[in-house]
Amino acid sequence: MPATDPIAPRTSTVYTPATVPRPLTAVADDGTVSLDERARQYARSLPGPFRYKLKGLTFALPSPYALSLTQWGRFHDGADALAAFQAVLGEPKVREMTAAGFTLGDLAVIVEDWEYRSGVRR
């Protein structure tokens, strides 16, 4: 292309040093990286709560990423779905769900939608 071509890429002889990003985490003298602040920032950025209404009962679930490992494990070990919901929603809300006639299938639908909406499952 001719140098006068208006769409020709410009050439530059000016040296621009690469920008070196500053570390996102603090490193201790022994080389240990502290992730506490990043974990707090991540937790604040999570979507949720996710609100649902089923069988006349309204409830909200936090982001699955905010659950403790124990709570998350209860949802995925399959042993006791009711205990898993109780660990997240609390016993009074689970009693309401039971009184409203929730079924195991209802709980499966809730978990599936919750995981899709939060990005845990695609």
Side-chain angles (χ1 to χ4, degrees):
M1 285 185 217
T4 59
D5 186 346
I7 62 170
R10 294 182 184 182
T11 57
S12 174
T13 57
V14 178
Y15 172 73
T16 306
T19 304
V20 178
R22 65 180 183 85
L24 297 174
T25 54
V27 179
D29 290 338
D30 67 352
T32 302
V33 175
S34 174
L35 297 175
D36 292 321
E37 181 57 31
R38 290 197 56 197
R40 281 189 289 276
Q41 290 172 351
Y42 180 77
R44 286 190 298 267
S45 73
L46 293 174
F50 298 97
R51 300 188 189 289
Y52 294 97
K53 184 172 185 178
L54 182 62
K55 297 186 178 185
L57 183 64
T58 302
F59 56 97
L61 293 169
S63 170
Y65 290 104
L67 297 181
S68 71
L69 294 178
T70 300
Q71 291 170 322
W72 183 249
R74 285 185 178 168
F75 272 101
H76 289 280
D77 70 4
D80 191 347
L82 208 52
F85 273 91
Q86 187 170 333
V88 175
L89 294 172
E91 187 177 334
K93 187 56 79 174
V94 171
R95 277 196 303 255
E96 289 180 46
M97 293 168 101
T98 302
F102 277 51
T103 66
L104 184 58
D106 294 332
L107 298 184
V109 167
I110 293 165
V111 170
E112 181 179 340
D113 185 79
W114 177 48
E115 289 179 345
Y116 276 109
R117 287 178 68 194
S118 64
V120 170
R121 187 187 311 181
R122 302 209 189 287

